[in-house]
Amino acid sequence: MRLSIFPLSGAILFPGLQLPLHMFEPRYRALVGDALARDRRIAMIQPNPAVKDAPLFQVGCVGRIGEVEALDDGRYNLVLEGESRFRLVRELDVTTAFRQVEGELIDDDEDAVLSSVERAGFEQEARRFADSQGYAVDWDSVERLDDQSLINGVSQIAPFDPAAKQALLEAPDLGTRCELLIQLMQFFGRHDGGDDRVTLQ
């Protein structure tokens, strides 16, 4: 399928989750205008490396524009709602200001769950990571989340570098993503100060 893309380093989107965006560059304002006139869909994918017109990673996520605010100066504030991961087939030669690709949707298991051992192991590591980074977390709310909302949600907002976030997006299933997320929290959790501290992209 043909997809109009917003290539943004450090930003990933998962099906069922939301991503707030502020669109101010002319080509991305054109992207939003085009999407609103057609099917309201924009595909998020990371560039590699994070420079203009860089090659793209192989997996992204198609989102549908939900809330949108058109500002007087042509900028947009919007919320993109994740629909489906996709695999990049090829970039298309287009005349639009924004880039377009051919992509294949990835059929994820919407009913996937973690084992009780996996869930407990993740929550234990998440508490340790949050404490080491000084994050205040409402753990009662965390415990009420279903497995997919928890693992994908943490993957989307975690303060890891773009390559790590891409690896989480590309994980083939929920269990693999959970295991990788634990490993990343263990690794990045050791960076607890100084110049090498992990920052939110």
Side-chain angles (χ1 to χ4, degrees), residues 77-110:
N77 290 321
L78 57 90
V79 175
L80 206 57
E81 300 170 349
E83 290 192 334
S84 175
R85 292 191 306 151
F86 73 93
R87 194 172 308 281
L88 178 69
V89 176
R90 64 188 176 97
E91 183 158 0
L92 301 174
D93 186 13
V94 295
T95 56
T96 53
F98 49 88
R99 299 165 73 178
Q100 298 182 52
V101 301
E102 181 183 342
E104 292 178 343
L105 298 184
I106 297 172
D107 188 18
D108 285 315
D109 182 1
E110 298 178 2

Side-chain angles (χ1 to χ4, degrees), residues 17-191:
L17 298 182
Q18 296 183 330
L19 181 66
L21 294 169
H22 175 64
M23 302 296 218
F24 58 90
E25 285 189 46
R27 58 178 167 168
Y28 297 130
R29 288 166 16 195
L31 168 66
V32 174
D34 179 73
L36 290 173
R38 293 188 304 110
D39 59 4
R40 300 181 73 92
R41 284 174 175 79
I42 293 174
M44 298 296 301
I45 191 166
Q46 292 198 103
N48 181 29
V51 295
K52 184 178 179 180
D53 299 326
L56 303 167
F57 277 107
Q58 291 301 299
V59 174
C61 184
V62 179
R64 186 178 189 278
I65 297 173
E67 298 175 32
V68 60
E69 177 189 16
L71 304 177
D72 291 341
D73 59 4
R75 294 175 295 138
Y76 291 95
N77 290 321
L78 57 90
V79 175
L80 206 57
E81 300 170 349
E83 290 192 334
S84 175
R85 292 191 306 151
F86 73 93
R87 194 172 308 281
L88 178 69
V89 176
R90 64 188 176 97
E91 183 158 0
L92 301 174
D93 186 13
V94 295
T95 56
T96 53
F98 49 88
R99 299 165 73 178
Q100 298 182 52
V101 301
E102 181 183 342
E104 292 178 343
L105 298 184
I106 297 172
D107 188 18
D108 285 315
D109 182 1
E110 298 178 2
D111 300 318
V113 295
L114 300 174
S115 70
S116 56
V117 173
E118 287 175 317
R119 173 84 182 214
F122 173 80
E123 288 194 11
Q124 181 181 29
E125 194 56 48
R127 286 175 183 270
R128 189 178 296 134
F129 179 77
D131 288 344
S132 73
Q133 301 296 303
Y135 297 145
V137 178
D138 181 351
W139 293 109
D140 289 338
S141 295
V142 169
E143 290 173 3
R144 289 195 292 270
L145 290 173
D146 65 82
D147 294 341
Q148 294 211 37
S149 296
L150 175 62
I151 300 302
N152 293 344
V154 173
S155 296
Q156 184 169 309
I157 66 170
F160 303 148
D161 62 45
K165 294 178 82 74
Q166 185 66 29
L168 289 165
L169 183 64
E170 293 185 8
D173 54 62
L174 191 67
T176 304
R177 186 171 298 126
C178 175
E179 184 178 340
L180 177 58
L181 197 48
I182 290 173
Q183 293 171 358
L184 288 168
M185 287 191 294
Q186 290 171 341
F187 174 76
F188 284 104
R190 290 196 290 269
H191 294 252

